[in-house]
């Protein structure tokens, strides 16, 4: 591995905000932080205030993400932006099946659409992801049907699919979530929003092969997540896996 390869950064999770110029703004922020590439999903399906309430109290929206805008932005980014399809489970998989092959993976948001992870509609989406060879990114919340244990059950039902537990699990100190996913090697752990101590625990308990650096841009500035990793003083091998290689594998790439 060369020193250049060790320094490369592939953000495992960013959002493309709605509106004109969003991709250019994202690329400028990436440049300012030394980020080479990013997995991108649509933003703006629900506003942050409503999402905050739904995470705590429950609720649901039946809204489609602007996946076409994401696809278009990625097509003109010179390979720097990699699109994931943000599926609406209320469509029963029809939207993803029709367009999903044009994307590099699948994004689910149970707390946005209000559909529990054990619902057959999520099983249908996972089955399509398996057919497409896609990884599946999602986040869990502390409500029955939406937790990390429910993700574990879904992942066990689809052992050929790589799942990503986003945002360092539930809350900012989900050490329990790390332990829940540990026996299921097909579940990776993306660290945006978590404490640095939780990231260190994930590296130690899961191994660096199962940990991904993500930023959650634009809700989180990438510099915050990068500072967290600098404080951890990772080895060259850990950094290469977490910041580059694991996300490259998630997106189905063999070399870049």
């Amino acid at each position: 591995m060369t020193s250049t390869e060790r320094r490369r950064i592939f953000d495992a999770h960013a959002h493309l905000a709605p509106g004109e110029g969003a991709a250019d703004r994202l690329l400028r922020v990436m440049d300012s932080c030394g980020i080479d590439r990013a997995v991108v999903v649509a933003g703006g399906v629900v506003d942050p205030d409503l999402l905050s309430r739904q995470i705590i109290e429950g609720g649901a929206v039946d809204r489609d993400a602007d996946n076409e805008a994401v696809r278009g932005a990625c097509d003109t980014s010179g390979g720097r932006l990699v699109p994931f399809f943000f599926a609406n489970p209320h469509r029963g998989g029809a939207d993803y099946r029709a367009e999903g092959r044009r994307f590099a993976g699948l994004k689910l948001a149970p707390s946005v659409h209000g559909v529990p992870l054990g619902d057959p509609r999520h099983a249908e989406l996972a089955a399509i992801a398996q057919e497409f060879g896609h990884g599946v990114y999602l986040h869990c919340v502390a409500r029955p049907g939406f937790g990390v244990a429910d993700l574990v059950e879904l992942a066990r039902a689809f052992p050929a699919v790589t799942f990503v537990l986003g945002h360092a699990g539930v809350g900012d100190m989900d050490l329990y979530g790390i332990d829940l996913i540990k026996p299921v090697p097909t579940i990776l752990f993306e660290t945006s929003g978590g404490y640095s101590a939780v990231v260190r625990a994930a590296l130690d308990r899961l191994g660096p092969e199962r940990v991904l650096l993500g930023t959650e841009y634009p809700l989180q500035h990438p510099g915050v997540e990068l500072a967290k990793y600098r404080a951890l003083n990772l080895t060259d091998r850990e950094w290469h896996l977490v910041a580059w290689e694991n996300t490259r594998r998630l997106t189905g790439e063999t070399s870049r």
Side-chain angles (χ1 to χ4, degrees):
M1 187 195 333
T2 68
S3 59
T4 300
E5 288 172 327
R6 284 196 296 269
R7 288 195 299 268
R8 300 188 83 179
I9 301 174
F10 198 157
D11 178 357
H13 185 66
H15 288 270
L16 188 70
E20 187 176 351
D24 290 337
R25 289 192 297 274
L26 169 57
L27 289 166
R28 285 196 298 271
V29 171
M30 289 168 59
D31 287 340
S32 73
C33 294
I35 297 173
D36 299 274
R37 306 176 68 202
V39 170
V40 179
V41 300
V45 176
V46 61
D47 71 75
D49 290 289
L50 178 56
L51 177 58
S52 175
R53 180 173 179 175
Q54 288 190 188
I55 287 171
I56 302 301
E57 297 184 352
V61 300
D62 182 359
R63 298 176 191 165
D64 296 328
D66 193 349
N67 290 302
E68 275 305 305
V70 170
R71 177 72 258 181
C74 292
D75 283 347
T76 60
S77 72
R80 296 189 66 192
L81 304 180
V82 179
F84 268 37
F85 187 90
F86 194 157
N88 180 354
H90 297 286
R91 301 286 167 264
D95 57 343
Y96 180 40
R97 180 168 291 284
E99 301 294 335
R101 289 190 186 275
R102 301 170 61 214
F103 293 74
L106 172 65
K107 160 71 186 296
L108 301 176
S111 58
V112 170
H113 291 112
V115 177
L117 286 166
D119 188 285
R121 288 170 288 185
H122 275 139
E124 175 63 22
L125 287 165
I128 299 170
Q130 179 172 279
E131 178 184 335
F132 291 170
H134 282 172
V136 179
Y137 180 101
L138 58 88
H139 28 86
C140 297
V141 297
R143 289 189 284 108
F146 295 81
V148 178
D150 302 290
L151 166 59
V152 167
E153 291 304 308
L154 181 63
R156 283 180 168 150
F158 294 91
V161 177
T162 297
F163 289 85
V164 180
L165 173 57
H167 305 321
V170 177
D172 47 26
M173 201 181 74
D174 196 3
L175 299 172
Y176 180 52
I178 294 172
D179 289 341
L180 284 173
I181 69 170
K182 183 177 179 178
V184 187
T186 54
I187 304 178
L188 310 181
F189 190 79
E190 184 272 314
T191 59
S192 61
Y195 289 155
S196 59
V198 174
V199 179
R200 185 71 261 175
L203 290 164
D204 292 341
R205 299 181 192 185
L206 303 175
E209 300 85 356
R210 292 177 62 186
V211 178
L212 304 171
L213 183 156
T215 67
E216 184 60 0
Y217 172 90
L219 291 179
Q220 178 86 299
H221 192 283
V224 176
E225 295 298 326
L226 292 171
K228 184 166 68 182
Y229 272 96
R230 283 195 296 271
L232 289 170
N233 195 28
L234 271 59
T235 67
D236 286 345
R237 176 179 178 273
E238 287 176 326
W239 178 247
H240 178 67
L241 288 168
V242 168
W244 182 258
E245 184 64 19
N246 296 342
T247 301
R248 189 185 63 82
R249 290 201 319 268
L250 175 68
T251 59
E253 300 179 16
T254 56
S255 64
R256 174 68 66 174

